[in-house]
Amino acid sequence: MKLYLLKLGEISLKGGNRHTFEKILRDNIREKLREYETRIDYQKGRFFLHVSDDADEGKIIKALETTFGLVGFARAYECDKEEEKLWALIDEMLEKTEFENKGTFKIDARREDKSFPLRSYDIAVKAAEIVARHFPSISVDLKNPDYTLHIEVRQKIYVYSEGYKAPGGLPVGSAGKGLLLLSGGIDSPVAAYLAAKRGLRLDFLYFHAYPYTSDEALEKVKKLASLVAPYTGHARLFVVPFTDGQLRIKEKAYEDETTLMFRASMMILANKIAKKTGAKALVTGESLSQVASQTLSAMAFTDSMSEMLVIRPLVTYDKEEIISLARKIGTYETSILPYEDCCVIFSPKHPLTNPEKDVMEEHFNKLEMEEEIDKAIGNIRSFRYGPNGEETSD
Ligand code: ATP
Ligand code: MG
């Protein structure tokens, strides 16, 4: 089997309930690699992941790189605790290593098991000789090496070199479940990433004002859901048709209040759907003062329309910071495709930026939105995504 050494992040600092976090992380990794045979052992702050030999290396790397709770991982090789076996293993590994015959290296040897007869220093010296035999032009640099070869003597001996970075955070599901309001924009996929990073499992909710928003806009949201799902774990996307609701708002509400009235309806709908899915919080991509509906008083009003906690991971983020995260997680290029998530006919020319909560609530009640909200709930469509982002049948 192929072996990977996985480094756990914040979980290692957890006290009594560390095991609960570890179990969730282990299940999440298994779920992502479920098409292969896997075994995961735990030893002192590390997972040892064994995956069947036929497994696709690229898929394993993609799966681990998007797994919250891990800070890094490396392909590793193991042998029994016998000197000769160790030297043979290093030989074999150097045959297929990514080292080049130039630059500098260092050996980082650790002997956790003190019953092994060679000290760390002895292991390092002998291993360095083997490296020098394979690569005569490479030299030792203990401070700032180009390559590091790690050797750890534990229950077995493990040898590994350069590793990959993983995103840190806490395993998805360890903080419960939330419902993300996903639009086709730049912000909400990034909000999903940040909420999932703190352990929240997410389903997605999209308000689709067909035909004012096109089929392409829906396809774009589906694409974003599939890009975010590797981070959030398996997820459902609920598509709520709310065109009639929006038309009612446009007809009955004061023009400068239409956006706020729409957002109030979104909150009520999202609460109802969240309850059905077992979600305990809503997540949005709002950022303070980014647009009229994201001023303090506007957000205070929309909050008042939600029984559930509304988490806004981006509330203090600049657009530049959001964009750079969107690029990092790979959603940016899709988010900037030109299909608008809401058409100009629903956007007031001069939206209210300083609404009074009580007045807004009174105005909202006068719109009598209940029937439209229930109708929208009755017409929800849903899509399902697996933990590697693949769309699966619902
Ligand atoms: P984004 O870039 O995420 O679209 P935005 O800056 O365009 O955000 P708004 O359109 O005011 O801001 O939306 C703020 C938040 O409300 C979004 O981040 C998202 O969470 C939610 N939202 C907006 N439109 C929709 C929609 N059609 N369906 C679901 N959620 C939405
Ligand atoms: Mg938007």
Side-chain angles (χ1 to χ4, degrees), residues 35 39 54 86 150 184 210 246 248 255 257 273 291 314 329 359 385 389 391:
E35 60 180 301
R39 197 182 84 231
D54 63 316
L86 170 59
H150 302 268
Y210 188 81
Q246 279 185 266
R248 183 180 179 89
E255 206 221 334
E257 295 175 4
I273 296 162
V291 291
L314 301 175
I329 65 173
V359 178
Y385 297 87
E391 192 177 334

Side-chain angles (χ1 to χ4, degrees), residues 181-183 185-188 205 207 263 266 284-285 290 294:
L181 279 71
L182 178 64
S183 69
I186 296 169
D187 304 333
S188 40
L205 173 60
F207 296 93
R263 295 201 72 80
M266 283 163 81
T284 77
Q290 196 188 78
Q294 295 172 21

Side-chain angles (χ1 to χ4, degrees), residues 144-264:
N144 197 13
D146 298 323
Y147 304 110
T148 304
L149 187 71
H150 302 268
I151 301 171
E152 295 186 9
V153 182
R154 296 171 174 241
Q155 281 171 13
K156 289 186 152 203
I157 301 179
Y158 302 96
V159 182
Y160 58 98
S161 61
E162 300 322 303
Y164 299 84
K165 279 201 164 54
L170 292 168
V172 164
S174 63
K177 192 167 163 187
L179 181 64
L180 171 83
L181 279 71
L182 178 64
S183 69
I186 296 169
D187 304 333
S188 40
V190 176
Y193 170 87
L194 289 174
K197 187 171 187 186
R198 296 309 298 163
L200 214 53
R201 182 174 290 291
L202 293 173
D203 284 323
F204 313 131
L205 173 60
Y206 171 57
F207 296 93
H208 190 39
Y210 188 81
Y212 298 96
T213 46
S214 60
D215 282 333
E216 283 95 335
L218 173 60
E219 285 309 313
K220 176 177 163 182
V221 169
K222 287 177 67 181
K223 172 81 183 166
L224 287 172
S226 78
L227 291 173
V228 170
Y231 291 104
T232 61
H234 60 255
R236 278 175 297 174
L237 166 66
F238 302 104
V239 178
V240 185
F242 199 55
T243 315
D244 291 346
Q246 279 185 266
L247 287 170
R248 183 180 179 89
I249 291 170
K250 185 174 163 49
E251 187 193 336
K252 302 220 161 207
Y254 296 106
E255 206 221 334
D256 59 347
E257 295 175 4
T258 49
T259 308
L260 288 169
M261 296 296 135
F262 176 40
R263 295 201 72 80

Side-chain angles (χ1 to χ4, degrees), residues 12-56:
S12 314
L13 307 174
K14 296 278 169 204
N17 52 6
R18 200 189 74 211
H19 295 292
T20 317
F21 285 87
E22 280 166 11
K23 181 176 182 313
I24 296 172
L25 177 58
R26 204 181 290 218
D27 289 346
N28 289 350
I29 295 168
R30 273 206 202 103
E31 198 199 9
K32 286 186 171 200
L33 298 174
R34 66 192 181 290
E35 60 180 301
Y36 308 121
E37 193 194 329
T38 54
R39 197 182 84 231
I40 302 176
D41 304 320
Y42 177 82
Q43 275 183 51
K44 284 196 182 156
R46 300 277 170 87
F47 276 171
F48 289 77
L49 166 69
H50 301 260
V51 192
S52 51
D53 281 318
D54 63 316
D56 180 302

Side-chain angles (χ1 to χ4, degrees), residues 181 183 186-188 190-191 194 263 283-300 302 310-323:
L181 279 71
S183 69
I186 296 169
D187 304 333
S188 40
V190 176
L194 289 174
R263 295 201 72 80
V283 180
T284 77
E286 289 164 297
S287 165
L288 185 58
S289 303
Q290 196 188 78
V291 291
S293 64
Q294 295 172 21
T295 61
L296 273 192
S297 42
M299 288 196 287
T302 44
V310 181
I311 297 180
R312 300 178 170 94
L314 301 175
V315 77
T316 60
Y317 279 51
D318 289 351
K319 197 75 191 186
E320 282 308 311
E321 295 170 311
I322 299 171
I323 288 175

Side-chain angles (χ1 to χ4, degrees), residues 324-357:
S324 108
L325 264 177
R327 284 188 198 279
K328 184 175 135 191
I329 65 173
T331 53
Y332 183 73
E333 295 303 326
T334 304
S335 287
I336 58 171
L337 291 174
Y339 317 109
E340 285 300 316
D341 72 326
C342 201
C343 130
V344 277
I345 73 150
F346 295 120
S347 308
K349 278 192 202 72
H350 302 289
L352 198 61
T353 52
N354 198 12
E356 263 181 65
K357 205 168 81 183

